[in-house]
Every structure is written in C-alpha cells, then in structure tokens.
Amino acid sequence: MKLSATAVQDRLKQVNSWLICNNAIEKKYVFKSFKEAMVFINKVAVIADEMNHHPEWINVYNKLTIRLSTHDVSGITDKDFQLASAIDAITV
C-alpha cells in the first residue's frame, strides 16, 4: 500500500540520510574506490533479491545513488523503507 506524505516523512526519521526524490526515497554514497563501491552494490543486490524488491541505482566510479520506490503502486511503501533499513545496516 502506498504511504501518505505524512507517513513517508515519519518513516524518513527512522532511516539514515534518505531523502524524498521524484516519488521515491534516495540516498547517495561516496566510497574510497570503485572496488569498495562494487562490494557494497553486491551486498545490496543479495538483500534486494531476497526481498524481491530491486532498487534503481547509478554507479560512477566511487559514487553510488540508490533510489527506492514501489512501481506497482507508483509510490513509496513499507517495502522501500524495509530495504532502506537493510541497506543502512550494510558495512563495507
């Protein structure tokens, strides 16, 4: 179920540095190297696949942007925040 704008704002307080961007939540990362970025991406990929909720992402060398939304409801849902929390728990 798509979350209301108020619910999204409340949930943003529970995740680390995620922002609303174009009907999604988004977070930007900068790593020490391309290799470190790829290690992180691979960890996210495993979790996302287990959750069957796959992020949009852009990777350029050591920079990564992850965008989460639930396409079948055209908005932000609990699934997005569950995945954001799981991503926040990853260490490189």
Side-chain angles (χ1 to χ4, degrees):
M1 179 171 66
K2 185 176 176 177
L3 296 174
S4 68
T6 302
V8 170
Q9 289 297 330
D10 289 343
R11 295 292 302 271
L12 281 172
K13 296 172 189 171
Q14 300 169 9
V15 291
N16 185 22
S17 301
W18 290 83
L19 304 171
I20 297 173
C21 182
N22 298 326
N23 208 25
I25 58 173
E26 181 177 283
K27 186 170 183 178
K28 297 179 187 256
Y29 297 85
V30 178
F31 298 93
K32 293 178 184 173
S33 66
F34 176 74
K35 183 177 179 179
E36 190 174 286
M38 292 308 298
V39 167
F40 185 81
I41 288 169
N42 285 320
K43 289 179 179 183
V44 172
V46 170
I47 293 167
D49 203 46
E50 288 171 355
M51 293 178 72
N52 194 31
H53 192 53
H54 303 93
E56 295 178 31
W57 49 32
I58 299 167
N59 168 239
V60 179
Y61 184 62
N62 68 329
K63 295 177 180 75
L64 172 65
T65 301
I66 299 177
R67 183 175 297 134
L68 303 175
S69 67
T70 304
H71 299 287
D72 56 343
V73 299
S74 299
I76 303 167
T77 67
D78 282 329
K79 287 177 85 173
D80 300 304
F81 284 102
Q82 290 168 359
L83 182 52
S85 293
I87 291 169
D88 283 347
I90 295 172
T91 57
V92 177

